[in-house]
Amino acid sequence: AHGTARNGPGTGGQHERHTAQDEGKGGHQDRAQAELGTINRCLEKGGALFVAGRQRIIHDDARFVGNVGFRQNEQTFDALRLRTRPVDGYVLDYSWGWQVNRTPGRASPAGTEDARLHLLRVSGPFLGATLTGFGWWTDFRETLAPLSGRTLGLRLSGSGTALPPRGNDPEV
């Protein structure tokens, strides 16, 4: 059993005791209980990282693939993930996911989304900056089905010293 005691403004100085046996009874709000049975395992060997189960997957600035970390409940993915450094300075990150656990939580109809996700990201040095190539193949099966698709892209980040300064471009 667990309990809380309230004593402060608006409570009239009264103490309220709340136990697990009170869940679902009138006058008491149901409390979220930790779920059992989720798997989250990690294996790291020889510079490769393998994670299976419920996990955060964050790519770059988390704009498109991320944990929505500013929310109280983070978004997680049920997935298999491999992250390795095949060549010095380069990173290969691949995830295959089957469920997105969204911020509203399981109690909400929008809390989980059945999906088939392939998330690929390769990054490495380029002209003094970091060049990242990515591909996101998303097949959502429920509420988010209209947002399914394929996204391919490149991202250049950092301050590359080998690039000419802006404004020195030849005039056309």
Side-chain angles (χ1 to χ4, degrees):
H2 64 278
T4 59
R6 285 191 271 163
N7 188 6
T11 64
Q14 300 171 347
H15 291 281
E16 177 184 358
R17 191 94 179 119
H18 182 76
T19 64
Q21 287 81 20
D22 295 328
E23 296 294 334
K25 294 182 179 175
H28 295 287
Q29 180 180 8
D30 287 346
R31 294 177 185 224
Q33 299 294 322
E35 292 184 32
L36 301 175
T38 59
I39 298 173
N40 190 347
R41 297 287 182 255
C42 172
L43 172 66
E44 185 172 1
K45 185 169 181 160
L49 175 70
F50 178 75
V51 183
R54 185 151 300 163
Q55 58 191 290
R56 278 187 255 158
I57 300 175
I58 303 171
H59 285 186
D60 300 313
D61 58 8
R63 181 173 291 175
F64 297 105
V65 176
N67 63 333
V68 195
F70 61 90
R71 301 289 302 262
Q72 183 175 357
N73 292 330
E74 289 188 300
Q75 177 169 277
T76 59
F77 299 85
D78 292 349
L80 300 175
R81 184 177 189 187
L82 174 66
R83 184 177 175 149
T84 186
R85 295 180 182 274
V87 179
D88 192 34
Y90 290 82
V91 176
L92 170 69
D93 190 335
Y94 172 74
S95 300
W96 174 73
W98 56 90
Q99 181 171 285
V100 180
N101 304 294
R102 300 175 65 210
T103 59
R106 285 186 182 250
S108 168
T112 60
E113 181 74 25
D114 185 31
R116 300 299 171 262
L117 308 171
H118 296 276
L119 309 172
L120 177 64
R121 183 179 173 276
V122 179
S123 65
F126 180 76
L127 298 175
T130 300
L131 181 64
T132 302
F134 57 88
W136 301 319
W137 293 267
T138 58
D139 179 13
F140 297 107
R141 305 291 176 100
E142 298 169 3
T143 310
L144 299 177
L147 301 178
S148 297
R150 292 172 296 220
T151 302
L152 300 174
L154 291 172
R155 179 176 193 237
L156 183 64
S157 60
S159 56
T161 57
L163 299 174
R166 195 171 172 105
N168 291 341
D169 298 331
E171 297 199 24
V172 179

